[in-house]
Amino acid sequence: MSGVSFRDMAIVACGTVSLELNHLRHEGFLDTEDVFYTTPGLHENVKELERQLVSRIQKAKQVVDKVIVVYGGKFCYVNPAQPTRTMQTIVEEQGPNVARINATHCMDMVASEAEREQIAQEVAGGEKVWWMTPGWIKFRHQVFKGWDKGLANENFPRHTGGAVVLDSIGYVEQYMAENPEDFLEYSDWMGIPIQPYPVTLDRFKTLLTEQAEKLSA
């Protein structure tokens, strides 16, 4: 993994994972100068998501030939008007030198389904968990844009294991210390407790490396 370079590639990603990607850039793993973000929370507005995604990819291709898209495949883009149109379809339409990491959503980028099941057993006794990443804390009002308390009550309380933030950068503990009232208000709005769970960025690095190697082959 250490021998892979992203210097001749661009990253196009959902702004929700900007915290993790910026961390990887700061530590030197992600050695590209070209990272383009879409607005966090666009899974709620697939038309705008597609518009921004294609626009960012085109912008990236003006700078470099190879582009890695950091978006989930199964849950980030669900188009009721065109059910057969998927995130992968959009990415493939952008040309052969554009590749998407193999993950279903941002939580899957840092912890696999098997790992999440294990964490749920550990912290929630196997109860249903609402998974989040730090971006869901920082960009709360964009991720849940248009949600009122009624919609929150319909969705969150059924997750009897609470909300678990898969935190690979130590963001949540710092947020809890600096903004305790905001954090408690967020939990109250969801109607379930929120707790951080420390994970590494090893899986994220592997997923990025896989696509970098494919594009360099």
Side-chain angles (χ1 to χ4, degrees), residues 156-174:
F156 302 126
R158 71 182 73 165
H159 297 81
T160 50
V164 175
V165 186
L166 299 168
D167 193 352
S168 55
I169 55 175
Y171 178 85
V172 179
E173 286 192 7
Q174 183 178 346

Side-chain angles (χ1 to χ4, degrees), residues 41-72:
L42 288 181
H43 59 278
E44 296 283 337
N45 184 348
V46 293
K47 188 174 180 180
E48 178 62 14
L49 189 162
E50 182 169 346
R51 188 195 71 78
Q52 285 196 25
L53 180 60
V54 172
S55 172
R56 302 296 189 275
I57 292 172
Q58 293 305 315
K59 192 172 181 180
K61 287 169 74 174
Q62 292 174 8
V63 183
V64 294
D65 295 330
K66 303 169 190 147
V67 181
I68 298 177
V69 175
V70 181
Y71 251 102

Side-chain angles (χ1 to χ4, degrees), residues 20 106-107 109-126 129-135 137 161-174 176 183 193-202:
E20 289 85 355
C106 55
M107 284 67 71
M109 294 174 194
V110 292
S112 67
E113 185 175 2
E115 288 169 331
R116 296 195 304 275
E117 287 177 3
Q118 188 175 350
I119 294 167
Q121 285 291 340
E122 179 184 333
V123 303
V129 167
W130 179 276
W131 300 102
M132 298 194 287
T133 58
I137 302 292
V164 175
V165 186
L166 299 168
D167 193 352
S168 55
I169 55 175
Y171 178 85
V172 179
E173 286 192 7
Q174 183 178 346
M176 289 166 67
F183 189 82
I194 305 171
Q195 62 176 313
Y197 189 92
V199 294
T200 71
L201 283 170
D202 290 349

Side-chain angles (χ1 to χ4, degrees), residues 31-209:
D31 56 348
T32 176
E33 295 296 319
D34 305 302
V35 181
F36 303 88
Y37 292 113
T38 59
T39 303
L42 288 181
H43 59 278
E44 296 283 337
N45 184 348
V46 293
K47 188 174 180 180
E48 178 62 14
L49 189 162
E50 182 169 346
R51 188 195 71 78
Q52 285 196 25
L53 180 60
V54 172
S55 172
R56 302 296 189 275
I57 292 172
Q58 293 305 315
K59 192 172 181 180
K61 287 169 74 174
Q62 292 174 8
V63 183
V64 294
D65 295 330
K66 303 169 190 147
V67 181
I68 298 177
V69 175
V70 181
Y71 251 102
K74 188 175 180 181
F75 298 107
C76 296
Y77 180 89
V78 179
N79 190 338
Q82 294 177 275
T84 59
R85 186 162 181 76
T86 65
M87 176 62 70
Q88 192 58 28
T89 307
I90 298 168
V91 171
E92 288 172 358
E93 288 173 353
Q94 308 312 309
N97 287 332
V98 181
R100 184 185 62 81
I101 68 170
N102 185 22
T104 54
H105 45 50
C106 55
M107 284 67 71
D108 194 46
M109 294 174 194
V110 292
S112 67
E113 185 175 2
E115 288 169 331
R116 296 195 304 275
E117 287 177 3
Q118 188 175 350
I119 294 167
Q121 285 291 340
E122 179 184 333
V123 303
E127 295 284 321
K128 190 175 183 181
V129 167
W130 179 276
W131 300 102
M132 298 194 287
T133 58
W136 290 59
I137 302 292
K138 182 172 183 178
F139 305 113
R140 166 191 170 183
H141 296 293
Q142 289 163 290
V143 171
F144 293 116
K145 187 176 181 179
W147 285 50
D148 58 15
K149 181 64 175 174
L151 194 55
N153 286 338
E154 286 177 27
N155 285 273
F156 302 126
R158 71 182 73 165
H159 297 81
T160 50
V164 175
V165 186
L166 299 168
D167 193 352
S168 55
I169 55 175
Y171 178 85
V172 179
E173 286 192 7
Q174 183 178 346
Y175 186 90
M176 289 166 67
E178 294 176 357
N179 304 281
E181 291 181 2
D182 287 349
F183 189 82
L184 289 172
E185 189 275 328
Y186 194 175
S187 178
D188 182 62
W189 178 77
M190 294 184 77
I192 53 177
I194 305 171
Q195 62 176 313
Y197 189 92
V199 294
T200 71
L201 283 170
D202 290 349
R203 175 170 166 80
F204 210 168
K205 289 179 178 179
T206 297
L207 293 173
L208 288 164
T209 299

